[in-house]
Amino acid sequence: MYRSLREEKVFKDPVHNYVHVQDEIIWALINTPEFQRLRRIRQLGTSYLTFHGAEHSRFSHSLGVYEITRRIISQFERSGYSGWPHEERLLALCAALLHDLGHGPFSHSIEEAFDMNHEDWTCKILVGDTQVAEVLRRVSSDFPEKVAAVIRKDYEKPIVVNLVSSPLDADRMDYLLRDAYFTGVNYGTIDMDRILRMLRPFQGRVVVKESGMHAVEDYLMSRYQMYWQVYFHPVTRSSEILLRQIFRRAKELHQQGYGFRFLPDPLPGLFERELTVTEYLLLDEALVQTAFMQWTNEEDELLGSLCARFLDRRLYKYVELDHIDMEMVDQLRSAFAQVGLNAEYDLEIDFPTDLPYDVFRPDDELKGKEILLLDRQDNLREISEVSDIVRSISGLHRGRCHLYYPKEKLEAVKDQLPQHIAQLFEV
Ligand code: NI
């Protein structure tokens, strides 16, 4: 079954103005419980503790990625380009809409704490016993598996994968614009309309017309700025560390057979890493935050204090270092233990890194990770060969090490700490 809606539906959107829905399948997918759950998961996790506007949800981002994909395809079709496989239109739209379906509450912290991967969960939800799978099967019995293949990036036609996942894809364009809008920062405001007009289907891939190079440079610069100003903001990292510690402590206690006063399903299954798809879908930020609230009254003092810190936003302070080695970390931990601090929980080391754009050397295999420019003679060139700006930001790797610690606890024992350590932590 593949039908258009009798009348187009629209969602008002602060970033794209309107999101247009024309297909019955897309409308039905949006109305499944699995997709509606994304309203209860914030797009930027704990960033709202740094940028108070960042309360937007994965629901709005997913609609945005769908809308950008829809605009790209409709531009391809309007312009009559050859090389766009029309039969894949609905597949690309569904993959765009559903690409983040498997995100959990405070995704990055929970994934690290329990060694999970949201992409795996997305695929499980797509092919599992879910309403999303039921809707997708209305297209054809193997359609859920095809959408999962696009998400896993192993679908047979790279052009479909390119739209949803490549250095210049609908996902990245939406999150840059949306995250900039909701955090209120001045970076990330890319000229999306211009970039979209410059995209071309060519030899089974999405490429950029050479005259769009400056718009792409601007986009990569924005991405670079957003990483350092928003995504890797040290205060946000501090709140993520606290979250990971809460999960770690709760898991430890559960493994020791500790009797929680409050432990709703599916948290025991999460700690044991044995969740069915149905159980996984019960996880949202409301549930996790309710648990934190209840755990402030737990008998375990450490868990209670970590939860209170998170809820009351008493985050760890940090110092920045150019370099740290494991020997130094060991020294710090043993100094902490000697003065009665918790060597495991009162010191965390964080080392964020990101490259805005990975440049591929010419002899490397092309894996869809490069941005290709198309010149008037139909030659393709990788953007960093042409653009000085892209070349120079590609090498930027501004990762500095951060040490996080509860400042007031260190203040309390500062006279017992070796002086150089007290100085390092500014107490
Ligand atoms: Ni996304």
Side-chain angles (χ1 to χ4, degrees), residues 180-207:
Y181 178 89
F182 282 99
T183 52
V185 301
N186 277 325
Y187 323 99
T189 48
I190 55 171
D191 187 352
M192 188 183 74
D193 290 338
R194 171 140 178 95
I195 294 179
L196 296 195
R197 275 202 312 278
M198 293 295 141
L199 295 180
R200 296 284 181 277
F202 184 76
Q203 294 178 347
R205 312 166 49 99
V206 180
V207 301

Side-chain angles (χ1 to χ4, degrees), residues 43 61 65 99-100 171 175:
Q43 171 70 9
H61 163 65
V65 177
H99 77 286
D100 276 345
D171 184 22
Y175 76 60

Side-chain angles (χ1 to χ4, degrees), residues 161-291:
V161 179
N162 280 178
L163 286 177
V164 193
S165 123
S166 69
L168 195 66
D169 61 20
D171 184 22
R172 286 176 172 82
M173 281 191 261
D174 184 79
Y175 76 60
L176 282 182
L177 287 167
R178 194 169 299 277
D179 297 344
Y181 178 89
F182 282 99
T183 52
V185 301
N186 277 325
Y187 323 99
T189 48
I190 55 171
D191 187 352
M192 188 183 74
D193 290 338
R194 171 140 178 95
I195 294 179
L196 296 195
R197 275 202 312 278
M198 293 295 141
L199 295 180
R200 296 284 181 277
F202 184 76
Q203 294 178 347
R205 312 166 49 99
V206 180
V207 301
V208 188
K209 224 178 122 183
E210 197 175 33
S211 51
M213 183 175 85
H214 299 298
V216 176
E217 287 173 343
D218 189 45
Y219 155 85
L220 290 171
M221 281 300 291
S222 294
R223 190 171 134 73
Y224 175 80
Q225 297 281 8
M226 284 297 282
Y227 264 84
W228 290 105
Q229 305 300 330
V230 176
Y231 305 133
F232 289 162
H233 196 290
V235 175
T236 307
R237 301 288 279 198
S238 179
S239 54
E240 284 171 358
I241 283 169
L242 212 39
L243 260 185
R244 278 207 303 276
Q245 291 195 338
I246 295 174
F247 290 133
R248 192 166 105 203
R249 184 61 185 162
K251 190 168 88 176
E252 276 169 12
L253 291 171
H254 182 70
Q255 281 166 347
Q256 293 161 14
Y258 172 87
F260 281 88
R261 290 189 194 146
F262 184 80
L263 192 65
D265 279 333
L267 295 183
L270 175 69
F271 297 158
E272 290 153 29
R273 298 190 51 223
E274 278 176 15
L275 288 177
T276 63
V277 170
T278 314
E279 287 168 335
Y280 184 80
L281 290 166
L282 293 174
L283 286 172
D284 61 26
E285 288 177 5
L287 177 109
V288 169
Q289 281 180 308
T290 304

